Amino acid sequence: MGRAAYFGLRGSSLGAALIWAVILPTYVLFGYYNGILGSLLDFPAWLDRFPELDTSSPHLTAAQKAYNSQIQGTIVATYTLGALVGACSCILFGDKLGRKRTIMLGAVVTCIGSILQSSSFSIAQLVVGRLITGIGFGAISATAPNWQTECSRAGHRGFVVMLEGLFISAGLALQAWITFGMSFTKGDVSWRFPLAFPCFLALVVLFSMPLWPESPRWLIKKGRIEEARYVLAAFDDVPLDDPAIADEVQEIERSLQETGKGKFRDIFRNGPGRFANRAFIAAACQCFQQMGGINSLAFYQTTIFRTFLGLDATVARILSATVFSWQTLVAPIGALTIDKVGRRKLMMFGAAGMGMCMAIIAGTTSHPANHQATQAGIAFIYLFSLFFVTGYLGLAFLYSSEIAPLSVRTPITALSTTSTWVFNFTTVEASPPGFDNLGYRYFIIYAVINWCLILPTVYFLFPETQGLHLESVDRIFLESRNILQPVGVAKRLRAHAHIGAEGDVQLDEEQPEEKEEVAR
């Protein structure tokens, strides 16, 4: 490889290029897919083509509405079911293909699914298209966070990966404004174009991915040391023979030796590296991202504005688009604070705030005839977006990648991403009948989950990883003996650490229980 590789970009310029060329379109695509079908559910042309999904027409009986609600929830959720399969598939081939090729394969499959969806003439074709789209993007979603995390520097990793939340929010806003514009058109183009548009973003990912470096940690794991040295030198913007590169390679190799080579079955047992403990934390973090209540709002936001708050279709669509635009505007709050206040505080802040918002939304939507209550309900939907994007949207992907050791990072992040899609499917499937049967009380469930499950779990079980090199996170678990100890061990190690020139946390080599220095 010559110095002209990666268009001659090195250091921070190379890191920025990866973000804008790959991560931005990938996570805009993530947000777009998460909201698009919910925005189309009340389009006249959509209901004419798929009358089985109509849940609001006045001529429907109560039994028909209930049945159609179940069908609607299932159709919307088939995408997440496919994503679950795609994420699980990374357990089998993710480490074999590598980060880049897995993302590229996912982009191809995603394009095929989008074409099938946008050309649908029957429910069966729509279901198949959504399943295939989900499989493709599930593989991308399980791999892209690893690739970005492993290519980022420790002192700024939080900021870089938290940009994912900004891009997901931008994708949600993009689909909302596109569907708002298309709502003024007539015929099938009103819903076919919004379903076809994601192909453009998937093609950007597909054709830009080969131009950029592979994860240096994956290369070292596969014994491709010289390639890894070149990539590390490019990211650090130092000569290939710089001693720091040799040290970094040795420390990554040492981490692999300490935690073992790692197979899928290893993540279900602890051993010295506490793999099962770490797999549980990663999966729980991704579960909490979904179970905080975001999907009951994001997927069915227009329905909530119309059904619970009594707004007309045009106003509901405008509000839905502005909620996602607001979420995009406030997303930098988390990105700018994550490397200062840490992961734990932001997650607890998010859970406490989301629980409060859900409780108040439940109260306000119980009085749709009260104009002041309606306004308050709308305000707290906006506020919920702030707490969610700050505490969980991008942070869950970051934390799940950080907590996993290199030797089993692919299976653990595949498992945690599977958790994302399992609970995404659960909430999307449950929401239509939940709204129909429980009404405003459905929101109370999420308030309880945030306050009584998510908040205490983060406080007692999730150790702080802010500023640590990925290899240094291993020490927290190597020195822990049970599931409750990592939080305390992390605090003790950080108390004796010092801050490096780039803001990274460098652990003291002389810790009493330390087995061996593993900081990168």
Side-chain angles (χ1 to χ4, degrees):
M1 295 182 181
R3 188 177 176 86
Y6 320 134
F7 304 101
L9 298 174
R10 299 175 66 82
S12 59
S13 297
L14 177 59
L18 266 58
I19 292 172
W20 301 117
V22 179
I23 296 302
L24 185 150
T26 295
Y27 283 92
V28 168
L29 193 63
F30 195 129
Y32 192 97
Y33 276 132
N34 266 11
I36 185 60
L37 207 64
S39 298
L40 299 174
L41 293 176
D42 62 348
F43 274 34
W46 173 267
L47 296 177
D48 288 343
R49 178 64 61 186
F50 306 113
E52 304 94 329
L53 305 182
D54 187 357
T55 63
S56 57
S57 294
H59 68 272
L60 296 174
T61 66
Q64 286 175 313
K65 286 184 178 181
Y67 176 75
N68 286 1
S69 291
Q70 292 178 339
I71 298 297
Q72 183 189 96
T74 300
I75 297 299
V76 174
T78 50
Y79 164 71
T80 61
L81 186 62
L84 187 159
V85 174
C88 284
S89 68
C90 291
I91 295 172
L92 300 176
F93 64 77
D95 259 339
K96 295 177 181 178
L97 292 178
R99 314 306 192 225
K100 289 175 59 176
R101 285 186 291 180
T102 302
I103 292 172
M104 293 167 62
L105 178 61
V108 171
V109 176
T110 297
C111 277
I112 295 171
S114 291
I115 292 169
L116 287 172
Q117 283 190 83
S118 61
S119 62
S120 292
F121 284 92
S122 67
I123 286 289
Q125 183 179 346
L126 181 65
V127 168
V128 171
R130 286 188 64 73
L131 278 171
I132 292 175
T133 302
I135 290 171
F137 198 79
I140 295 174
S141 68
T143 309
N146 278 350
W147 180 68
Q148 189 182 11
T149 299
E150 292 174 349
C151 291
S152 300
R153 316 314 298 161
H156 307 288
R157 186 174 60 241
F159 169 78
V160 170
V161 181
M162 281 288 281
L163 289 175
E164 293 172 4
L166 171 63
F167 301 147
I168 292 172
S169 301
L172 286 164
L174 177 64
Q175 64 80 25
W177 286 115
I178 286 177
T179 53
F180 173 68
M182 296 305 293
S183 69
F184 294 98
T185 63
K186 295 181 179 180
D188 283 359
V189 68
S190 65
W191 61 268
R192 292 191 189 278
F193 174 77
L195 290 177
F197 178 79
C199 284
F200 167 72
L201 295 171
L203 289 173
V204 170
V205 174
L206 174 63
F207 289 111
S208 64
M209 196 73 225
L211 305 175
W212 306 111
E214 179 58 274
S215 160
R217 288 170 172 81
W218 180 81
L219 291 170
I220 291 173
K221 184 178 180 181
K222 293 299 179 179
R224 295 160 61 174
I225 306 300
E226 285 306 309
E227 292 178 65
R229 285 167 53 83
Y230 183 88
V231 173
L232 289 170
F235 279 123
D236 288 348
D237 193 15
V238 296
L240 192 59
D241 57 357
D242 191 292
I245 300 301
D247 292 343
E248 194 164 3
V249 170
Q250 289 177 0
E251 286 159 3
I252 295 172
E253 290 178 321
R254 186 182 304 129
S255 175
L256 278 171
Q257 292 172 357
E258 287 185 338
T259 57
K261 293 297 181 183
K263 297 179 180 179
F264 175 64
R265 64 175 180 269
D266 294 335
I267 69 176
F268 298 105
R269 54 192 180 213
N270 272 321
R274 301 199 59 79
F275 291 170
N277 188 170
R278 296 161 86 163
F280 164 78
I281 292 173
C285 186
Q286 295 279 37
C287 163
F288 295 161
Q289 182 198 58
Q290 302 300 314
M291 291 303 291
I294 184 58
N295 290 314
S296 66
L297 298 180
F299 276 83
Y300 302 103
Q301 198 153 245
T302 304
T303 302
I304 291 170
F305 285 134
R306 296 188 65 185
T307 304
F308 289 97
L309 299 177
L311 304 176
D312 66 52
T314 300
V315 173
R317 290 193 186 101
I318 292 173
L319 281 177
S320 180
T322 57
V323 168
F324 293 134
S325 299
W326 158 256
Q327 184 171 300
T328 305
L329 290 174
V330 299
I333 294 174
L336 294 171
T337 57
I338 184 72
D339 287 321
K340 295 181 176 66
V341 303
R343 283 59 163 156
R344 280 167 47 85
K345 290 179 181 178
L346 283 188
M347 283 192 276
M348 289 188 286
F349 169 78
M354 290 191 297
M356 175 193 69
C357 290
M358 279 297 186
I360 295 174
I361 291 170
T364 55
T365 54
S366 67
H367 298 87
N370 186 314
H371 184 63
Q372 286 77 21
T374 298
Q375 290 181 324
I378 294 171
F380 276 92
I381 288 175
Y382 280 86
L383 190 59
F384 180 94
S385 295
L386 184 150
F387 286 114
F388 173 70
V389 74
T390 301
Y392 284 93
L393 184 52
L395 206 162
F397 296 107
L398 166 68
Y399 193 75
S400 298
S401 296
E402 286 182 329
I403 214 73
L406 176 59
S407 58
V408 287
R409 184 165 293 138
T410 294
I412 284 183
T413 52
L415 180 69
S416 68
T417 307
T418 299
S419 171
T420 296
W421 296 114
V422 166
F423 289 99
N424 184 296
F425 176 85
T426 301
T427 54
V428 172
E429 177 78 10
S431 289
F435 290 140
D436 286 342
N437 297 320
L438 298 176
Y440 71 88
R441 298 176 186 84
Y442 185 62
F443 298 110
I444 298 175
I445 295 173
Y446 293 109
V448 173
I449 289 173
N450 276 291
W451 285 338
C452 301
L453 175 63
I454 299 178
L455 191 57
T457 301
V458 172
Y459 181 79
F460 288 109
L461 303 182
F462 286 25
E464 183 56 72
T465 58
Q466 176 262 324
L468 293 175
H469 294 275
L470 294 177
E471 289 67 46
S472 297
V473 176
D474 292 335
R475 285 184 56 189
I476 296 173
F477 293 92
L478 287 168
E479 298 187 16
S480 299
R481 297 295 176 267
N482 60 59
I483 197 169
L484 294 173
Q485 282 191 348
V487 172
V489 170
K491 289 179 179 178
R492 174 175 57 79
L493 291 173
R494 298 177 77 88
H496 298 278
H498 62 279
I499 307 300
E502 296 185 357
D504 53 320
V505 177
Q506 300 178 2
L507 301 183
D508 190 345
E509 298 185 21
E510 311 242 341
Q511 293 297 319
E513 298 180 26
E514 181 180 4
K515 293 177 176 60
E516 184 175 5
E517 169 72 27
V518 296
R520 184 172 63 125

